[in-house]
Amino acid sequence: MSTKASRSAARLMLAPAVILLLGWMLVPLTLTLIFSFQRYLPLRGGFQGWVGFENYVRFVTSSAFWPSVQATVIIVGGVLLITVTLGILLAILLDQPMWGQGIVRILVIAPFFVMPTVSGLVWKNMFMDPNNGLLSHLWRFFGADPVIWLSDASMLSIILIVSWQWLPFATLILLTAIQSLDSEQLEAAEMDGAPVLSRFWHIILPHLSRAVTIVILIQTIFLLAIFAEIFVTTQGSFGTRTLTYLIFQRVLESQNVGLGSAGGIYAVILANIFALFLMRIVGKNLDR
Amino acid sequence: MGQIVLEQVTKSFGDVTVIPPLDLTIEDGEFTVFVGPSGCGKSTLLRLIAGLEDVTSGEIRIDGKECSTIPPAKRGLAMVFQSYALYPHMTVRKNIAFPLRMAGLDRAEQDRRVVQAAAVLNLTDYLDRRPGQLSGGQRQRVAIGRAIVREPAAFLFDEPLSNLDAALRVGMRLEISELHNRLKTTMIYVTHDQVEAMTMADKIVVLRAGHIEQVGSPLQLYRAPRNLFVAGFIGSPKMNLIEGPEAARHNATTIGIRPEHIAISATEGRWSGTVGVSEHLGSDTFFHVQDTGLGESVTVRADGEVSFRHGDRIFLTPRDDMIHRFDAKGLRIA
Amino acid sequence: MARTVRTHRKTLNTALAWGIGLMMFFPILWTMLTSFKTEAQAISDPPVWFFFDWTLENYRVVQERSNYSRFLWNSIIIAGGSTVLGMIIAIPAAWSMAFVPSNRTKDILLWMLSTKMLPAVGVLYPIYLIFIQLGLLDTRIGLTIVLMLINLPIMVWMLYTYFKEIPGEILEAARMDGAGLREEILYVLTPMAIPGIASTVLLNIILAWNEAFWTLNLTAARAAPLTAFIASYSSPEGLFYAKLSAASTMAIAPILILGWFSQKQLVRGLTFGAVK
């Protein structure tokens, strides 16, 4: 449905969005790429010459690199495991008939709308504080020594906080996916005599597989970029320095822009690997 | 006024040619029906005339004025869409007034014309409803109302009745014909239903794969189909097409005989066969006669009172003056 | 018999779901409750639940001491501004891709999505540098532009999926009826797409309000929104739980309410239409 006139109008109206996003992507990315080949210390003499791939090598060989990769993998993996598993169970539960379904749904998804700095600080102080936190009250109530969460169990704490924020997202999407399941399919299976567990295994789970993949991909992309939760809690100490946080420190705290930029390029590549998978799924969806 | 002339019009989407060069003249005041199987290009042709698609080459003249690059709004045509395409967020009144509002008519004039159109279309009681609260037939009338208030040079209808149920379709068919008789404005009507074409048209344009197969009045097409395609497409039930020795006896590759032009008898006739399925319509009965030795089964129309049973042996005699002859290329032999 | 089993199961479901729901909501509830306590009650062991001296003191102190309303105002301007600006750019873009698709439309859509995947930290310094050069650092306009840009792909995508559901024939009818492009978008498309546009706006406000990478890194004092204001509580002095709770409650309450309205659309927006 189109004529030359409407096609040229369409191009004109698409242009601002495309140009802005192109600029937003290309300009900073090009700068980062350029910086990554420089020795560039803004507070200590600025530009100090081209160094080729030295920053890339130094970034991966620095003692902080592998621990940061490890921290990233553990946090992303841990959060994914918790949110997807609990998300599926919770979605199935919420799909069952019950009283006050709407209200329960609202209660469950609420954490997603809490800004990251608030959830970081509320958990850090009011729950995980070893002296005054609610969890330490609880531990003492049972006669146990309170856990010093953010230093002794720092990873677990971060995973817990972030999972609390993202479980609603997983639940909501999986619930939407479950609700799109044709109820006649389930009834047919029930007529065929399939017990509850095998209905879950052979019908519900395969139906959810696409939604689960999408949840995993989208969450991975956001979780790789987690920042504020760490910024307001551990500041990257106690082994919680993720790749994102490491790059942030190199760039803004120690102002080693060249090194940080090399790290940034790594992060871009990493994110793009996941983005590629996500885009293939979304792209297929477009064709339908 | 509303004469529409297409000259060497072509349309291709990328490498695919939908309309090869095509010439057609639609006279002022004519009710022209484009008919053909789905994918024959009839809707594309209508959209080219409307200006919703660009012609790839060629000219479209409306009242002598070359229009092929003019935007749809400026061509002075009105269109009724298959889905009615009513604006769901506007009342019937606002829907009908929309083209007038776009044309910048003053409020009083808008109202006057809307009320007038509503009276013509029996929509007066529904003016303040939304399209969602109307039945299919009412929506159809609103779409027509939106078209007539503009007083266009020509109306374009794109399969307007295909979303209606059978009973309503007959009624709307009459209403549209009635409208044409009253307005005497040029109308171009696209349909795949040859019954609609036969009953409504002054002039039928039969299309296949973008080509015009034949142009003529309904009776011209019925009496003298130019080729096998038109012969098979116009008329219901379909014309019987017979090849082989029987055709050769008439010096043709294929002969055609309509079901209504075959006499049926229990005792004697030129062809014989056994009765297969019979379709009783009350007024008429259609027998599908098998094993006639003529190739496919032959459909025969008989009076509603004639009754044969499945498997009965019967005799058929075609009316010789009603036999259509076609050559090896499928063209009519005069 | 079957009925009783059903009711029995329903009761069980209800109990379980409410238990989990309350657990998930508890941190928020606790924060809200604590915001009405005195600092001493806020840390008391055993904790006090509902029977304490409800006070609005914390809210008053937060406002007085740290000028809360300034941060709130920044948040509103930045979230609102980036949304309005984004919609002005996204609506025409989504229109053209939904109704005049070309063979490149799919590629453009996916490419837009890919810009959303760009890790912020990878371009932190260049943006920082550009902001300094242009004098945008710690300004509301600078942050508004950045948040508009990071959410633009989501806006375009969401609108695109909504527009796709509007039959093209209606827009063609408008064209036949004499509407120009402007009238077509203004009088026909936009009113029909109001629900979709509203939910896009809603989701975008939520995302912009809660954004906590650029807002933390590109602001200092003047343009800092609530995310940055709350972050300042990470190195507190003295007893502060009740005040932190009051500040947090004020920061999340408006968005919680908006969020509850937009939960359905959220799925579509955040999965780029892949789950509806």
Side-chain angles (χ1 to χ4, degrees):
Chain A
M1 59 150 265
S2 54
T3 60
K4 277 188 208 91
S6 65
R7 273 196 300 277
S8 52
R11 235 174 273 141
L12 206 69
M13 302 209 312
L14 186 55
V18 170
I19 291 169
L20 279 172
L21 283 175
L22 204 64
W24 167 246
M25 187 181 77
L26 281 186
V27 174
L29 210 55
T30 312
L31 285 173
T32 300
L33 203 62
I34 293 171
F35 292 146
S36 71
F37 294 110
Q38 295 176 344
R39 185 167 163 72
Y40 182 32
L41 305 159
L43 297 183
R44 283 163 282 162
F47 175 65
Q48 295 171 16
W50 299 89
V51 294
F53 283 93
E54 195 192 302
N55 288 321
Y56 288 90
V57 177
R58 269 185 57 199
F59 191 83
V60 292
T61 50
S62 83
S63 60
F65 177 70
W66 286 109
S68 81
V69 170
Q70 200 188 348
T72 310
V73 170
I74 292 176
I75 290 179
V76 172
V79 174
L80 282 180
L81 192 71
I82 292 176
T83 53
V84 171
T85 319
L86 293 184
I88 292 176
L89 296 177
L90 205 49
I92 292 173
L93 177 63
L94 288 181
D95 191 41
Q96 306 296 317
M98 67 177 70
W99 289 286
Q101 200 166 24
I103 301 171
V104 174
R105 233 170 91 136
I106 284 174
L107 294 180
V108 169
I109 62 169
F112 189 72
F113 301 116
V114 175
M115 57 174 67
T117 45
V118 166
S119 65
L121 282 177
V122 163
W123 277 96
K124 174 189 177 185
N125 293 301
M126 295 166 57
F127 288 87
M128 293 175 168
D129 187 272
N131 300 317
N132 300 321
L134 260 192
L135 290 176
S136 64
H137 294 338
L138 190 69
W139 256 244
R140 272 192 222 106
F141 179 78
F142 286 108
D145 276 338
V147 181
I148 306 172
W149 289 92
L150 283 162
S151 48
D152 289 354
S154 54
M155 284 302 240
L156 183 65
S157 308
I158 299 279
I159 290 175
L160 223 66
I161 297 173
V162 177
S163 296
W164 178 71
Q165 283 181 286
W166 284 91
L167 179 58
F169 174 81
T171 307
L172 196 57
I173 287 178
L174 294 171
L175 181 61
T176 311
I178 286 184
Q179 283 168 344
S180 76
L181 177 66
D182 186 5
S183 68
E184 282 186 3
Q185 233 186 75
L186 279 176
E187 280 162 10
E190 210 171 337
M191 293 295 288
D192 290 343
V196 177
L197 206 64
S198 77
R199 278 196 308 242
F200 171 75
W201 199 252
H202 293 293
I203 296 174
I204 297 180
L205 219 52
H207 176 78
L208 284 184
S209 61
R210 212 174 73 94
V212 168
T213 318
I214 291 167
V215 167
I216 289 177
L217 289 171
I218 292 177
Q219 279 202 32
T220 305
I221 286 155
F222 280 100
L223 294 177
L224 282 174
I226 280 221
F227 175 78
E229 292 83 347
I230 297 173
F231 182 77
V232 298
T233 53
T234 60
Q235 300 257 316
S237 52
F238 307 113
T240 60
R241 183 157 58 186
T242 59
L243 200 54
T244 297
Y245 210 83
L246 176 67
I247 299 166
F248 158 77
Q249 285 184 331
R250 290 283 180 269
V251 172
L252 279 197
E253 285 184 2
S254 52
Q255 293 269 326
N256 189 339
V257 174
L259 193 60
S261 295
I265 296 295
Y266 282 124
V268 170
I269 293 170
L270 189 65
N272 267 298
I273 293 172
F274 290 99
L276 223 60
F277 283 111
L278 178 62
M279 277 159 54
R280 277 184 50 182
I281 295 186
V282 173
K284 263 192 212 130
N285 206 52
L286 270 184
D287 293 333
R288 282 191 301 161
Chain B
M1 284 298 284
Q3 186 209 38
I4 298 172
V5 179
L6 280 69
E7 214 175 85
Q8 290 295 299
V9 166
T10 69
K11 175 66 182 176
S12 26
F13 294 106
D15 300 334
V16 186
T17 303
V18 186
I19 311 274
L22 179 147
D23 294 295
L24 180 67
T25 302
I26 293 154
E27 295 300 342
D28 181 35
E30 225 170 29
F31 195 118
T32 303
V33 174
F34 294 172
V35 68
S38 59
C40 70
K42 56 191 188 294
S43 282
T44 308
L45 198 57
L46 192 74
R47 293 165 61 82
L48 289 175
I49 295 170
L52 294 170
E53 303 275 359
D54 287 329
V55 295
T56 307
S57 68
E59 280 193 1
I60 294 173
R61 286 196 297 275
I62 299 171
D63 287 332
K65 198 169 134 220
E66 151 53 11
C67 278
S68 53
T69 54
I70 295 180
K74 304 245 164 72
R75 295 191 185 192
L77 307 175
M79 186 149 163
V80 175
F81 291 85
Q82 183 172 2
S83 65
Y84 323 134
L86 301 181
Y87 311 120
H89 56 290
M90 297 183 198
T91 58
V92 169
R93 184 189 302 278
K94 287 199 168 149
N95 260 284
I96 298 178
F98 188 74
L100 305 174
R101 187 170 142 211
M102 290 297 107
L105 261 63
D106 67 61
R107 251 318 202 335
E109 177 66 11
Q110 283 184 28
D111 272 349
R112 197 185 62 73
R113 289 216 219 168
V114 170
V115 168
Q116 198 182 355
V120 169
L121 293 162
N122 285 327
L123 286 169
T124 310
D125 295 339
Y126 305 101
L127 276 177
D128 294 309
R129 299 214 189 157
R130 297 270 171 105
Q133 301 163 294
L134 300 180
S135 70
Q138 289 165 338
R139 286 183 212 185
Q140 185 64 74
R141 286 208 287 271
V142 176
I144 293 171
R146 202 170 58 182
I148 60 176
V149 286
R150 297 184 56 194
E151 296 171 1
F155 291 96
L156 312 179
F157 293 91
D158 188 4
E159 306 222 15
L161 305 186
S162 57
N163 284 349
L164 296 178
D165 62 46
L168 222 56
R169 213 177 297 166
V170 176
M172 281 311 294
R173 218 158 71 192
L174 289 173
E175 280 190 44
I176 293 175
S177 293
E178 193 66 40
L179 192 70
H180 179 245
N181 287 336
R182 193 167 50 227
L183 298 176
K184 304 224 178 330
T185 311
T186 311
M187 292 187 175
I188 305 179
Y189 187 104
V190 164
T191 180
H192 61 269
D193 180 353
Q194 61 93 27
V195 175
E196 281 177 26
M198 291 297 283
T199 51
M200 300 167 83
D202 295 325
K203 179 158 92 187
I204 296 179
V205 179
V206 182
L207 288 155
R208 178 172 59 160
H211 281 285
I212 294 180
E213 295 287 328
Q214 189 170 5
V215 178
S217 73
L219 286 180
Q220 275 170 349
L221 264 57
Y222 178 81
R223 288 180 182 145
R226 209 169 62 90
N227 56 30
L228 280 176
F229 178 78
V230 179
F233 196 81
I234 299 290
S236 173
K238 273 189 175 146
M239 183 188 283
N240 297 296
L241 295 172
I242 299 159
E243 293 172 355
E246 187 64 28
R249 283 206 314 131
H250 291 88
N251 295 320
T253 311
T254 312
I255 57 166
I257 180 79
R258 295 195 185 276
E260 52 270 42
H261 298 143
I262 300 176
I264 191 163
S265 156
T267 51
E268 56 182 345
R270 192 183 303 164
W271 304 327
S272 69
T274 52
V275 174
V277 175
S278 350
E279 297 172 292
H280 300 279
L281 301 184
S283 57
D284 305 296
T285 302
F286 296 110
F287 294 105
H288 296 269
V289 183
Q290 289 159 342
D291 309 321
T292 51
L294 299 168
E296 293 180 37
S297 83
V298 173
T299 311
V300 186
R301 197 210 74 175
D303 193 89
E305 301 310 314
V306 176
S307 76
F308 290 107
R309 297 248 197 94
H310 183 270
D312 283 357
R313 183 141 199 92
I314 54 164
F315 296 90
L316 307 173
T317 311
R319 274 175 63 183
D320 280 323
D321 59 332
M322 288 297 177
I323 287 178
H324 306 264
R325 301 183 305 139
F326 300 95
D327 65 15
K329 285 182 188 154
L331 292 178
R332 180 180 189 83
I333 302 171
Chain C
M1 179 62 199
R3 275 292 293 270
T4 38
V5 173
R6 285 262 159 86
T7 323
H8 190 71
R9 253 187 64 188
K10 195 170 168 183
T11 314
L12 203 74
N13 287 336
T14 308
L16 199 61
W18 275 89
I20 294 173
L22 287 173
M23 243 165 75
M24 287 293 286
F25 190 70
F26 181 72
I28 298 171
L29 179 68
W30 187 248
T31 306
M32 288 176 171
L33 286 176
T34 306
S35 72
F36 297 107
K37 298 174 186 170
T38 62
E39 291 293 359
Q41 286 167 333
I43 58 165
S44 78
D45 185 9
V48 281
W49 294 92
F50 296 100
F51 304 106
F52 51 83
D53 307 321
W54 291 67
T55 169
L56 287 172
E57 180 69 7
N58 303 304
Y59 288 91
R60 197 181 56 76
V61 172
V62 167
Q63 165 58 19
E64 263 174 23
R65 218 190 276 169
S66 51
N67 202 0
Y68 168 86
S69 56
R70 187 165 51 98
F71 297 99
L72 175 70
W73 189 232
N74 282 339
S75 269
I76 291 173
I77 295 220
I78 291 165
S82 69
T83 303
V84 170
L85 208 60
M87 292 302 277
I88 293 174
I89 296 165
I91 290 180
W95 174 87
S96 65
M97 288 195 284
F99 296 114
V100 195
S102 70
N103 14 358
R104 275 173 304 166
T105 298
K106 191 182 152 190
D107 295 330
I108 293 175
L109 275 168
L110 289 179
W111 165 75
M112 284 188 170
L113 172 61
S114 78
T115 66
K116 177 70 197 164
M117 309 294 164
L118 197 69
V121 75
V123 292
L124 172 57
Y125 195 75
I127 296 295
Y128 187 71
L129 208 64
I130 293 169
F131 263 52
I132 292 176
Q133 293 294 320
L134 298 177
L136 289 174
L137 204 61
D138 198 17
T139 62
R140 289 192 291 231
I141 178 76
L143 215 52
T144 302
I145 292 171
V146 166
L147 293 194
M148 183 272 283
L149 285 168
I150 63 169
N151 289 327
L152 189 57
I154 291 189
M155 285 192 256
V156 172
W157 263 89
M158 252 180 110
L159 290 172
Y160 172 80
T161 59
Y162 281 112
F163 286 178
K164 266 299 217 199
E165 287 168 11
I166 294 174
E169 272 195 353
I170 291 184
L171 299 190
E172 291 183 340
R175 240 169 275 167
M176 291 299 295
D177 283 345
L181 194 59
R182 204 179 66 89
E183 289 90 0
E184 179 186 324
I185 292 185
L186 224 56
Y187 299 136
V188 180
L189 176 66
T190 308
M192 284 179 68
I194 286 274
I197 290 175
S199 32
T200 309
V201 164
L202 224 54
L203 176 64
N204 203 67
I205 289 176
I206 294 169
L207 291 177
W209 187 274
N210 287 344
E211 204 286 333
F213 182 80
W214 296 109
T215 50
L216 290 178
N217 282 312
L218 295 178
T219 60
R222 275 186 301 139
L226 287 170
T227 43
F229 165 62
I230 300 290
S232 70
Y233 274 84
S234 58
S235 43
E237 297 139 23
L239 285 176
F240 71 106
Y241 282 18
K243 286 181 215 62
L244 168 65
S245 297
S248 297
T249 303
M250 284 192 280
I252 63 174
I255 233 59
L256 268 183
I257 293 163
L258 285 188
W260 287 335
F261 281 120
S262 70
Q263 39 170 321
K264 280 249 171 64
Q265 289 71 34
L266 191 85
V267 174
R268 193 200 280 240
L270 287 175
T271 60
F272 302 94
V275 175
K276 274 183 207 165

